[in-house]
Amino acid sequence: MSYHLIGISVLWLFLYGYLIIASIDFGAGFFAFYARLTKQDPLINRLISRYLSPVWEITNVFFVFFYIGMIGFFPDTAYYYGSALLVPGSVAIVLLAIRGSFYAFENYGSKNNIVYLFLYGASGLLIPASLSVTLALSEGGFILKQDQTVSLDYWALFTNPLSWSIVGLAIVSVLFISACFLAFYATRAEDHAALKLMRTYALFWSTPTIIIALTAFIYLGQHNERHYQNMMDLWWLLALSIAFFMIAMWLLYRGRRYGLAFVCIMLQFFCAFFAYGIGQYPYILDPYITIQSSVTSSSMGFALVVVFIGGMCLLIPSLILVFKLFLFDADYVKGKK
Amino acid sequence: MGIDTVLWSKLVTGMTLGFHAIFATIGVGIPLMIAIAEFIGIRKQDSHYALMAKRWARGFVISVAVGVVTGTAISLQLALVWPNFMKLAGNVIALPLFMEVFAFFFEAIFLGIYLYTWDRFKNPYIHWLLTIPIVAGAGMSAVFITTVNGFMNQPGGFTMQGGQFTAVNPVQAMLNTATFSKVFHVLSSAYLTGAALLAGIAAFTMLRKGVTGYHKKALKLMMAVVMLFGLLNTVAGDVSAKFLAEHQPEKLAAAEWHFETESGADLILLGWLNAEHQIIGALHLPKILSFLAFGNFNAKVTGLNEFPSDEQPPLLVHYFFDLMAGIGFALLGISVLYFLFALWKKRNEHNKWLLRIIALGAPLAFLGVELGWFYAELGRQPWILRGYMRVEEAATTSPSVRILFFLFLLLYIVLGMVSVLVLRRLFNNNPAETEMEKRAQHAGDKRTGKGAHA
Ligand code: HDD
Ligand code: HEM
Ligand code: HEM
């Protein structure tokens, strides 16, 4: 396997990982705020701070990892996306900053501060919205290169239904994934009131998720025929995705096996996400960057892969330790430790 | 392509890094202090030290959050503000950046575990062991990022062909000639600053609330660490200067206002320049510069006039350098003074004046770090990659950077203020003595069986 394939596979896997764990985090922010407005906050806020506080930094590292890895394996991306995204990227930084500081400050009072809670909830929706715009950009037609300058065509971006449907999809998926996970976590904590609330949220957000996903797919067909056709050729992945979605819905509806339901949702997104990614092959930015044209030198590729393997040997055992201590330790989850 | 965009880009980067440096230095320095305190606490069975580790860790979390946030900002800004730099150098510096992410990952995981498992292990050493990956992870992230900075000063590990770097050897690029001295100095100054900060806080609290056993112990421990790393840091600074004399003479010459190449060069302290670049009002130490640069009073030191005028760094860095070195000696002096007073029985090492000076040492140490970085970065001007790429070639062409400067300024003001507020609330409402009593009571409850499940 060549370095560009190894690189893009690893990065796509990490982006998928970020998608799942960050969605849990982002959605929880929104639910915390919403619950406060509807006076249901005592139910779920304890649950949220129990799980999220120890792991938010890890979530953030996933993002930095993807981004640095991208620049490492495909240095041209830094030039094109970097030049075009100065303003939206900076806005995303500010949002991430607001959110990151919430966790540090929450134990010391900001949790009860409605302004901070609002920022926390709002950033939970705005960050995925702003990050997902890059997916729309990669479809081409928005980033333009004239002579030596790269720029972003804001007008085209904001008037295009594809970009809006991708943003919409990002937001509803975040809420859907998060609600499912928190429902599962509530069963582990044997917190029945929270479970009831989160199950309702999960069921509620499932329908918009599937509708907007289909809408985005249709608009993709209008915007980038090649990508759409490639995805159609991967119809079996899309079908699998829908099948997992159905299973998850059934389990949620019957109110049992929440762990399995969450795994199904992870698989649902895995299939769809990879169908999308493989369909975009070989482009990273249509039509300027392909993975073959932008891949780094082979010596760097080799070094990155070696570091990656070494890093994984260090990280996987440590991550297992974290999960054992915070996610699967029943006493901790129930708040006895 | 206006020069303005370049200036605003520099300001955005300088501001972000200057702000990050405060929290990054805390992030590297404090974990070691926590580890030392917890270890001594277990060793001596003295719960004062355990409480120190706990309280420091609690404050540390706040600083880590801001460090992570600003660090994420920098890493994105590298591509957003300097796209041409990343395009050229990205395929050489990607390796250390990638390794740095793993170091963060490692540190983040164990910090999460450490903070939430204070009383979960029967054997206290197991909890202490968790500090090792934290100290190592923080230290390694400083090492990796410093190799990037070293590379910008001493590019190597590639060949330049048609405006592109080819035949890249990333490991050689990391182990460039600047790496050793920089890593040594950055680490030693971070540990020095961490200890000076905690010593300063202990002294400050004693000035306001009176001398207590807890703060006495904290002060003594941290002054010992200040002394150790004050010494190491001076050595590291000397190594850095010798490195510059050999490999980057224009930076040293700019800092020393050393214009003509000569043997037996004088060291010039402070002073100012008139319109004809003559030095006025400075202290001249004969032949000392030659000695500092090469360990030989008669060695020849390259002067700034050897370099074309558009490749000379700004002369302002002279003050940065002098002040930084002054602070280094001052911190070392403070710790020596403290131990002289402590050993000399008739003197009281907790007298008001000494405590005031120690408290002042904390902001001074941070000033030293900032001055050091501004010296190192401005002294590299006009290059972003010394000898290969000038700063104005690297910057973004988007005029929006000006607005972004103000956006980020606002962000840092808010972040800075909120962290100060939170830290004050955290410690002022909960002084060490009260917490000590509470813990004693809690332990008593446990023994009589009230704290059942633990
Ligand atoms: C508490 C902070 C602190 C203190 C007291 C000192 N330094 Fe420093 N210095 C730094 C913190 C620092 C730094 C922040 O760590 C720098 C910035 C970039 C770097 O590599 O280290 C630095 C850079 C730096 C450089 C430039 C290295 C380069 O660009 O490659 C030199 C020559 C010195 N220092 C020399 C000294 C000397 C002779 C000192 C006298 C005791 C001294 N420093 C004290
Ligand atoms: C953390 C402490 C640091 C501080 C306070 C600092 C400070 C500065 C300042 C003041 C500038 C603007 C220089 C000018 O006016 O032209 C600058 C530029 C820059 N620094 Fe640093 N720096 C730090 C560390 C680093 C490190 C570790 C790197 C390497 C990854 C780095 C990379 C850059 C880059 C890319 C620029 C822009 C190009 C330039 O102006 O030379 N800095 N920094
Ligand atoms: C003097 C130079 C620097 C030092 C000593 C330093 C060290 C640190 C430390 C200790 C942290 C906190 C990490 C944690 O506790 O989890 C941090 C955060 C971070 N720094 Fe810096 N840093 C420096 C400069 C830079 C530069 C120039 C960059 C950009 C390339 C950078 C990128 C980052 C990133 C991305 C984070 C956030 C990591 C995360 O998401 O967990 N740092 N840095």
Side-chain angles (χ1 to χ4, degrees):
Chain A
M1 215 163 147
S2 44
Y3 291 119
H4 57 258
L5 276 181
I6 299 180
I8 200 71
S9 314
V10 165
L11 291 174
W12 203 243
L13 263 174
F14 260 78
L15 191 58
Y16 168 75
Y18 181 67
L19 178 99
I20 297 293
I21 60 171
S23 290
I24 296 173
D25 177 284
F26 292 145
F30 178 77
F31 292 134
F33 175 67
Y34 182 74
R36 173 71 180 270
L37 282 187
T38 52
K39 304 256 175 334
Q40 290 169 312
D41 46 326
L43 281 182
I44 64 167
N45 280 3
R46 200 182 57 96
L47 194 69
I48 290 174
S49 68
R50 220 51 215 155
Y51 164 72
L52 291 174
S53 295
V55 299
W56 77 271
E57 220 192 315
I58 301 175
T59 312
N60 192 54
V61 181
F62 260 88
F63 174 64
V64 177
F65 183 99
F66 170 75
Y67 157 80
I68 297 284
M70 197 73 186
I71 293 181
F73 277 104
F74 307 104
D76 281 356
T77 52
Y79 175 66
Y80 280 92
Y81 284 104
S83 307
L85 289 177
L86 181 64
V87 176
S90 300
V91 172
I93 296 175
V94 173
L95 292 171
L96 281 168
I98 292 173
R99 196 177 178 78
S101 56
F102 175 85
Y103 284 108
F105 303 148
E106 69 149 323
N107 292 328
Y108 315 112
S110 61
K111 197 166 29 182
N112 304 320
N113 180 329
I114 187 79
V115 177
Y116 226 106
L117 203 58
F118 169 74
L119 288 174
Y120 176 61
S123 65
L125 298 187
L126 292 174
I127 295 173
S130 62
L131 294 181
S132 64
V133 169
T134 24
L135 286 184
L137 295 182
S138 76
E139 297 300 336
F142 305 117
I143 293 183
L144 304 173
K145 185 174 182 187
Q146 282 149 342
D147 307 329
Q148 283 309 305
T149 52
V150 175
S151 60
L152 180 58
D153 185 347
Y154 285 98
W155 180 251
L157 184 67
F158 284 123
T159 52
N160 192 304
L162 175 65
S163 37
W164 287 108
S165 55
I166 289 184
V167 167
L169 179 60
I171 292 177
V172 289
S173 323
V174 157
L175 295 172
F176 180 52
I177 295 175
S178 185
C180 282
F181 177 81
L182 291 173
F184 159 64
Y185 202 69
T187 54
R188 306 253 344 161
E190 292 171 17
D191 184 342
H192 299 291
L195 170 63
K196 196 161 154 258
L197 188 66
M198 293 325 296
R199 176 173 167 268
T200 323
Y201 287 163
L203 286 171
F204 178 82
W205 287 109
S206 62
T207 324
T209 306
I210 213 76
I211 293 177
I212 300 190
L214 287 175
T215 321
F217 191 53
I218 293 166
Y219 282 125
L220 179 68
Q222 291 177 5
H223 188 85
N224 188 334
E225 178 67 25
R226 178 195 55 81
H227 193 173
Y228 177 79
Q229 275 309 330
N230 286 348
M231 277 177 82
M232 277 312 223
D233 294 344
L234 294 166
W235 60 269
W236 54 275
L237 264 181
L238 298 175
L240 265 180
S241 172
I242 293 175
F244 282 122
F245 173 75
M246 296 305 224
I247 301 175
M249 287 323 295
W250 188 72
L251 290 171
L252 279 176
Y253 186 71
R254 300 295 300 265
R256 56 166 109 153
R257 310 285 310 267
Y258 286 95
L260 187 63
F262 183 67
V263 170
C264 285
I265 286 169
M266 280 174 67
L267 289 171
Q268 174 207 336
F269 277 88
F270 184 87
C271 294
F273 194 67
F274 272 80
Y276 178 88
I278 299 170
Q280 179 69 313
Y281 176 88
Y283 288 98
I284 297 180
L285 173 58
D286 204 338
Y288 298 112
I289 315 179
T290 65
I291 58 176
Q292 289 88 349
S293 72
S294 65
V295 70
T296 188
S297 63
S298 62
S299 55
M300 180 55 102
F302 179 72
L304 290 175
V305 170
V306 169
V307 168
F308 180 77
I309 294 172
M312 281 299 134
C313 294
L314 213 60
L315 288 186
I316 290 173
S318 337
L319 276 174
I320 292 176
L321 190 62
V322 173
F323 283 133
K324 268 187 117 136
L325 286 170
F326 298 119
L327 193 53
F328 298 119
D329 183 325
D331 283 346
Y332 177 82
V333 175
K334 286 178 201 156
K336 287 197 187 145
K337 272 186 188 166
Chain B
M1 253 284 136
I3 212 71
D4 257 354
T5 323
V6 175
L7 184 62
W8 286 110
S9 304
K10 284 183 182 182
L11 290 173
V12 170
T13 305
M15 175 175 68
T16 305
L17 283 164
F19 191 68
H20 180 64
I22 300 173
F23 299 93
T25 307
I26 295 179
V28 175
I30 301 292
L32 182 67
M33 310 307 141
I34 297 175
I36 294 176
E38 189 174 7
F39 183 75
I40 293 187
I42 302 174
R43 247 328 190 9
K44 291 193 174 170
Q45 304 252 347
D46 183 337
S47 54
H48 272 140
Y49 290 98
L51 183 62
M52 255 174 241
K54 222 170 182 168
R55 286 173 69 90
W56 292 346
R58 228 180 284 148
F60 176 64
V61 180
I62 312 261
S63 140
V64 165
V66 185
V68 170
V69 160
T70 51
T72 309
I74 298 176
S75 64
L76 287 165
Q77 276 181 5
L78 271 186
L80 296 173
V81 181
W82 307 100
N84 301 313
F85 166 70
M86 285 312 267
K87 187 184 181 186
L88 180 68
N91 66 346
V92 188
I93 61 173
L95 184 66
L97 289 177
F98 199 58
M99 291 165 104
E100 199 197 1
V101 180
F102 277 107
F104 288 139
F105 226 139
F106 198 54
E107 184 197 351
I109 290 174
F110 282 94
L111 187 62
I113 302 179
Y114 183 79
L115 292 172
Y116 290 84
T117 54
W118 277 102
D119 298 314
R120 266 170 95 174
F121 302 108
K122 290 227 167 56
N123 181 348
Y125 281 109
I126 294 185
H127 190 256
W128 174 75
L129 279 179
L130 291 171
T131 61
I132 293 177
I134 300 174
V135 175
M140 288 320 283
S141 56
V143 170
F144 294 136
I145 196 67
T146 309
T147 65
V148 176
N149 191 259
F151 173 78
M152 294 165 68
N153 284 284
Q154 298 285 311
F158 59 84
T159 43
M160 183 94 165
Q161 240 173 26
Q164 296 225 306
F165 292 167
T166 54
V168 173
N169 179 343
V171 176
Q172 203 186 326
M174 279 177 74
L175 302 177
N176 57 68
T177 41
T179 291
F180 172 73
S181 59
K182 268 193 188 278
V183 165
F184 183 17
H185 197 32
V186 167
L187 283 180
S188 66
S189 61
Y191 294 133
L192 170 65
T193 307
L197 172 67
L198 295 173
I201 292 174
F204 186 72
T205 320
M206 283 201 269
L207 280 170
R208 285 193 33 200
K209 306 207 171 134
V211 177
T212 64
Y214 171 86
H215 289 113
K216 264 196 210 165
K217 287 178 193 167
L219 183 63
K220 188 165 174 199
L221 182 63
M222 285 302 109
M223 284 324 274
V225 181
V226 168
M227 180 127 104
L228 174 65
F229 283 102
L231 276 171
L232 279 176
N233 188 50
T234 314
V235 175
D238 185 47
V239 171
S240 301
K242 291 193 162 50
F243 154 77
L244 286 185
E246 199 176 328
H247 296 282
Q248 225 173 325
E250 75 280 13
K251 197 191 258 186
L252 187 68
E256 303 296 356
W257 284 352
H258 179 62
F259 298 110
E260 300 299 335
T261 303
E262 62 183 358
S263 323
D266 294 359
L267 184 70
I268 291 161
L269 292 179
L270 298 174
W272 63 89
L273 290 175
N274 68 10
E276 285 86 47
H277 270 194
Q278 279 159 339
I279 300 163
I280 302 176
L283 198 62
H284 290 253
L285 302 179
K287 298 200 178 189
I288 297 292
L289 179 58
S290 289
F291 180 70
L292 284 183
F294 293 101
N296 170 355
F297 286 104
N298 291 312
K300 188 145 108 190
V301 184
T302 315
L304 202 54
N305 291 345
E306 304 276 322
F307 297 88
S309 60
D310 73 334
E311 285 183 15
Q312 294 181 0
L315 293 171
L316 179 71
V317 294
H318 176 64
Y319 297 110
F320 294 179
F321 180 81
D322 280 5
L323 274 176
M324 164 180 69
I327 289 171
F329 287 112
L331 289 175
L332 188 58
I334 293 173
S335 66
V336 170
L337 206 61
Y338 171 86
F339 282 106
L340 281 180
F341 273 46
L343 293 177
W344 186 12
K345 285 290 170 220
K346 274 190 214 141
R347 285 282 168 186
N348 173 12
E349 75 268 29
H350 300 114
N351 82 53
K352 277 221 158 64
W353 277 107
L354 191 59
L355 289 182
R356 275 184 199 146
I357 296 175
I358 295 173
L360 190 66
L364 275 185
F366 282 95
L367 186 64
V369 169
E370 294 287 338
L371 289 169
W373 277 110
F374 277 75
Y375 165 46
E377 299 289 302
L378 286 172
R380 191 187 60 230
Q381 300 300 313
W383 302 107
I384 189 166
L385 270 175
R386 183 176 179 266
Y388 291 93
M389 185 182 234
R390 296 171 73 100
V391 172
E392 60 266 22
E393 299 166 317
T396 180
T397 46
S398 162
S400 327
V401 271
R402 193 172 68 185
I403 309 164
L404 292 179
F405 175 82
F406 294 102
L407 178 74
F408 281 107
L409 183 64
L410 186 71
L411 175 70
Y412 299 143
I413 292 176
V414 171
L415 275 183
M417 276 183 358
V418 177
S419 15
V420 171
L421 277 177
V422 170
L423 282 171
R424 282 188 47 168
R425 195 182 311 175
L426 178 61
F427 290 109
N428 274 1
N429 297 348
N430 185 16
E433 297 70 43
T434 338
E435 198 176 339
M436 204 66 215
E437 278 161 28
K438 263 195 231 147
R439 285 179 56 141
Q441 216 171 13
H442 187 70
D445 287 351
K446 264 191 193 169
R447 236 172 284 126
T448 54
K450 279 189 211 160
H453 68 265

